[in-house]
Every structure is written in C-alpha cells, then in structure tokens.
Amino acid sequence: MAGRAYKARKLPADAEQNGWYAALPDPLPARRVEGSVSVDFAVVGAGICGLTAARRLGELRPDDSVALIEATRVGFGTSGRNAGFLLKGHSHGGEKDLELGKSNDRLCEAGLEYIRETVMHHQIQCQWSDWGRIYVASGAPGETHLDHLAHGLEGIGTEYSTVDQEEMEAITGTRFYSRGIRADDGALMQPAALMRGLGATMPANVTLYEESPVSEIHRGDGVRLVCAAGEVQAKQVILANHVFAEELGIARFRVVPITLYASLTRPLTPEELPLVGGGAEFGLLPSSPNGSTVRLTQDGRILMRNTMTYGRSKRFGAPEMTEALANHREGIRRRWPDLADIELDGTWGGILGFTRNGGIVCGEMALGLHAVMTTDAAPLTRGAAAAKLLAEQICGHDSALLQDLNRLPKAALLPPDPFLRMIVNRRLHKNETEEAGEL
Ligand SMILES: Cc1cc2nc3c(=O)[nH]c(=O)nc-3n(C[C@H](O)[C@H](O)[C@H](O)COP(=O)(O)OP(=O)(O)OC[C@H]3O[C@@H](n4cnc5c(N)ncnc54)[C@H](O)[C@@H]3O)c2cc1C
C-alpha cells in the first residue's frame, strides 16, 4: 500500500484561558502517550466529536482497543469553551431546503439524546438542565431576524411561544429585550464539566491520553501517529481535531474558522441575584448575528458571548481579546448597569467552523483515515451525532440516521486566503455597524 505522511504545521496552544475549565477542580495528572502503543482504533482530539466517536467504538467493539488522544486536557478545547447550549429544533431561519433542515434536526436530536443518556447513566455533574432557550431581540434589526427565525422553526416543526418585554424582564431582570421566542427542547450545561465527565466515563476498552499532541500521521500498513514522547500504531484512525485537521492537510478550505469570545463572571451574591430576575437560570440566544448569547448559570454566574473575528491563525491575540473584553463589559452594562463592574472569572476565545453550504466534513479521507468535523448550526449535537454515526459506519452498522447523514452535502470548497479573510471581515464589519444595538 502506498504510504503517505501528514505533518502538523500548527498544534493547539495550551496557555489560553477558559473560564469554564478554570471553575472546575484541578484534574488528575494526565496519562501521556509514551513509548510504543498498538491499538485497533485511535481517535485524535477529545472534543465532543472525539469523545463521542471513541465511546461508540468502545461500545460496539468491546474486544478491540481504542486510544483517544488529546493535545491538551479534556474540556480545555472548544467543546469546553462554548456557551453550553445543546440544541435541537434549532434554525437560523435560512433553510432553503426543508427536507435538509429536517434531516439536520433528526441528527441534532439523536446527538442530544446520546449525550443525555450518557450524562444520566453516569450521573455526570455538569449543571445539566432542560431549560430550553429563548431567542431574543432588542431592536428593529433583531426583531426582523426573530420573525425570520420563527418562520424557520415552523418549517422544521419546532413548537415555540412568544415572550413579550414584560415577561422577558421577569425572567432576566432587564428591559433590554423587546421580544423573544421560547423553545423548550434542548438542554443547557457547563461545557468543560460535561467534557471532563464524558472523558472520565469511557468504556473499559478506551484509553484516554492527554497532553499528547499528534504532530505526524503516517499511513502505510495501518496508521502511525507520532506524539512528542511516543507513537500509536492503529488499524484505523478517526481525526476529530476540528479546525486543526487542516493543519495536517485534511479538509483544507472547507470550513470558515470564526473565533467567538466569551466571559464568565464570578457567582453573583444573594443581594445581586434580584437584578438578574431572581437567580433562576436562563439561556438566551441572539436572533441577530451581532447579538450576544447570555446565560445565568445554575451557580449564579453571567455568561456573556459576543464578538467574532476571522480565526485562521487559531490563536487569540491581545488586540482581539481586549476588544472582546470591552464588548462583554458593554453587554453586561447595557442589560444590568448595576453590575457593570462585576469581576470576571475568565475571558476566552474559541473557534467555530462554518461552511458555505451547510455541509459536513465526515467520512473516510484516505484508506484507514477517517475525519469528522462539526460545523454550522447546533454543532455540539449535530457533531455528536455525526461522530457516533461515523463510528457505526466503520463498524458496519447501517441505519436511517446514517443515511440522513450521508445525504447531507459535503462542505463546499472555499476561496483561499487572502480572499476568504477579506470576504469574512467585510461581512463581520457590516453586522457590527448595522446591528450595533443588538450587542
Ligand atoms: C464561545 C463559543 C460558544 C459556542 N457556543 C456553542 C453552543 O452553545 N452550542 C453549540 O452547539 N456549539 C457552540 N459552539 C461551537 C462548538 O463548541 C464547537 O463547534 C464544537 O465544540 C467543536 O467540537 P469538536 O469536537 O469538533 O472540536 P473541539 O472541541 O475543538 O475538539 C478538538 C480537540 O482536538 C484537539 N486537537 C487538535 N489538534 C490536535 C492534535 N494534533 N493532536 C491531538 N489533539 C488535537 C484539541 O485540543 C481539541 O480538544 C461555540 C463555540 C464557541 C467558541
């Protein structure tokens, strides 16, 4: 068999902040890849996709060995950096193809249910709740998006109810929002805690290696993965390292990397909780692309997520972090002026992949080398479903859902940089100027 080598041009950095991760107790020391390890399957990357693929391989092939290899620590990467919405029945309102929208939704539902079953079975402590979500608007641009979004929800059959300004104020303590629409399905959670819990409850035949970035992949007789202090030889490999796959030359220019930023406050005091509606948790998704995702968590913290930049560098530079921090503070001030100066326990960036056609990156890229990358709307739940189904496909299990997945279009090719960078920056700038009030 002709061999081929893939060498990583860039690896995840481990010095960045992640407020959710910082709120957890210190993890146990990492088991690293050392010396020579031989397994049936290896999964690279322990975000939601890698954790799900490894779990499913372990379940379906109890007599085979699975190595799950993570560059940093489980929960530290993007899957532990997000806003914590596990979505189904979700729509941006832009679906041109209704059948495709419904297929996507079936996948999201399957992903959500697989995660839910695992959390309930292992009693993973991750602030899980079935609160659902409210899509919100604060002014005219947001209201227009909200109507469009409602139309999208109707298209895929998601039930929702309208929330007026008074009800929004009762829930959140602020009159910032002019209107919302509430959908009850979906879940909220603490993402770093969920990922750590998933990593700690793998089937017995799955071994988790952390602090072991894979710098080279050699394909020949099976697949050989090179880490700093050792190597893993596997019959088959699933690459689940998200946008870092392109650094290995896989799925290049299929996904637009967008950096999103978030901040988490310290827990509010009992005196402060009445300012945010009394202290019962909530989760708000913006209808405007320039809006903020906002949560009040079960432990009484405000999560503020806004600001987007082009993320090809996969690093979060000082100017971008400063701008994001200022926007998060402004977001808090506009909603709750009395909390404008509240201490933040963390501000961080993470990368979300978008495709130009709502497509997917999932399947065999070369003999024995598979990849799954989650993108676009509802990436945690759709990504979990895709990773689970890819593992099932590798093990020879067919299903109606797998056919749904394989019917989705492949992520379309994008223009290279600097063209893509220019197009994205122009779009982000337009959103920022025309919809500044929604921040
Ligand atoms: C601020 C923010 C808010 C978001 N909010 C939501 C939300 O509410 N709901 C939702 O559904 N989605 C949300 N997302 C998007 C979602 O978090 C991501 O799309 C998803 O987590 C990606 O999962 P993944 O498993 O594909 O990749 P990742 O979570 O990025 O996992 C890939 C893993 O691979 C590791 N890795 C990379 N290279 C290597 C290598 N060479 N060797 C070994 N390991 C490697 C990385 O360290 C990483 O841990 C949000 C994203 C951000 C940034």
Side-chain angles (χ1 to χ4, degrees):
M1 187 202 313
R4 184 168 169 201
Y6 307 79
K7 297 195 179 183
R9 293 175 313 176
K10 193 177 268 186
L11 295 166
D14 56 10
E16 320 280 1
Q17 273 195 44
N18 172 353
W20 293 115
Y21 189 85
L24 300 179
D26 287 341
L28 296 171
R31 177 206 296 259
R32 301 196 180 103
V33 172
E34 284 170 355
S36 187
V37 177
S38 185
V39 288
D40 295 292
F41 298 102
V43 178
V44 178
I48 190 65
C49 288
L51 288 160
T52 308
R55 176 179 299 277
R56 194 62 182 145
L57 287 172
E59 287 171 348
L60 292 176
R61 292 286 179 86
D63 297 327
D64 285 352
S65 50
V66 183
L68 173 58
I69 309 166
E70 166 55 40
T72 62
R73 297 304 305 260
V74 174
F76 190 74
T78 307
S79 291
R81 287 170 178 253
N82 52 65
F85 287 77
L86 290 170
L87 297 164
K88 81 177 186 67
H90 175 63
S91 160
H92 287 318
E95 285 83 0
K96 293 190 186 81
D97 180 337
L98 211 54
E99 283 317 306
L100 213 61
K102 289 181 181 169
S103 293
N104 265 319
D105 195 38
R106 284 193 288 274
L107 290 167
C108 292
E109 178 163 16
L112 172 62
E113 291 316 315
Y114 189 55
I115 299 171
R116 184 200 302 277
E117 279 164 25
T118 310
V119 167
M120 298 308 151
H121 180 74
H122 294 284
Q123 290 294 295
I124 294 174
Q125 300 303 305
C126 61
Q127 299 185 23
W128 183 280
S129 100
D130 291 310
W131 196 86
R133 62 202 180 276
I134 303 182
Y135 300 94
V136 288
S138 66
E143 296 260 351
T144 307
H145 289 297
L146 207 54
D147 292 338
H148 190 52
L149 215 139
H151 184 66
L153 293 182
E154 281 160 23
I156 59 169
T158 300
E159 287 183 17
Y160 68 87
S161 56
T162 302
V163 189
D164 66 20
Q165 191 172 33
E166 276 63 39
E167 289 168 283
M168 283 305 308
E169 185 179 10
I171 294 167
T172 64
T174 173
R175 290 187 72 76
F176 177 81
Y177 298 110
S178 52
R179 186 161 59 98
I181 54 181
R182 180 162 187 170
D184 287 330
D185 45 12
L188 296 171
M189 46 78 190
Q190 206 281 32
L194 173 60
M195 298 307 138
R196 186 179 287 179
L198 293 175
T201 56
M202 283 287 145
N205 54 334
V206 179
T207 306
L208 170 64
Y209 298 92
E210 297 171 278
E211 297 179 354
S212 302
V214 173
S215 55
E216 292 177 30
I217 301 178
H218 295 266
R219 207 168 51 76
D221 187 13
V223 185
R224 186 166 56 90
L225 306 172
V226 179
C227 302
E231 296 191 349
V232 176
Q233 178 72 36
K235 292 178 191 147
Q236 304 208 53
V237 166
I238 297 181
L239 268 189
N241 60 342
H242 200 220
V243 289
F244 283 92
E246 68 175 13
E247 300 295 341
L248 284 155
I250 308 275
R252 291 196 72 209
F253 286 103
R254 298 283 165 178
V255 167
V256 186
I258 298 291
T259 306
L260 308 183
Y261 301 84
S263 284
L264 197 61
T265 69
R266 62 158 169 74
L268 273 58
T269 62
E271 295 69 40
E272 289 166 336
L273 285 172
L275 297 171
V276 293
E281 86 173 314
F282 55 77
L284 314 177
L285 287 172
S287 51
S288 154
N290 196 50
S292 304
T293 300
V294 182
R295 281 182 60 189
L296 184 68
T297 63
Q298 283 180 12
D299 58 351
R301 300 167 187 268
I302 297 170
L303 173 88
M304 180 63 62
R305 200 275 319 141
N306 62 39
T307 313
M308 298 186 193
T309 58
Y310 187 61
R312 178 76 65 203
S313 75
K314 305 176 181 71
R315 298 289 186 256
F316 316 115
E320 292 87 356
M321 292 304 297
T322 305
E323 183 194 344
L325 176 60
N327 286 342
H328 296 160
R329 285 237 166 262
E330 177 62 8
I332 294 174
R333 189 195 63 75
R334 286 184 185 184
R335 289 159 180 80
W336 302 288
D338 291 338
L339 297 173
D341 298 320
I342 187 168
E343 297 84 5
L344 301 177
D345 274 358
T347 298
W348 65 92
I351 297 170
L352 173 54
F354 286 98
T355 65
R356 115 177 171 197
N357 60 337
I360 53 159
V361 176
C362 186
E364 192 165 18
M365 303 287 142
L367 195 63
L369 184 59
H370 311 262
V372 56
M373 194 189 298
T374 182
T375 55
D376 303 319
L380 287 169
T381 48
R382 194 175 79 151
K388 175 172 180 276
L389 291 165
L390 178 61
E392 291 174 2
Q393 179 166 277
I394 292 170
C395 295
H397 292 244
D398 197 8
S399 64
L401 259 183
L402 180 59
Q403 288 162 28
D404 265 345
L405 179 72
N406 287 333
R407 261 197 303 273
L408 296 184
K410 299 289 174 211
L413 198 58
L414 295 156
D417 283 337
F419 304 106
L420 186 59
R421 176 185 301 274
M422 267 165 40
I423 295 166
V424 172
N425 282 341
R426 201 177 307 139
R427 170 76 69 87
L428 294 177
H429 181 69
K430 186 168 181 282
N431 291 342
E432 280 165 20
T433 45
E434 291 179 2
E435 310 204 352
E438 299 287 336
L439 189 75

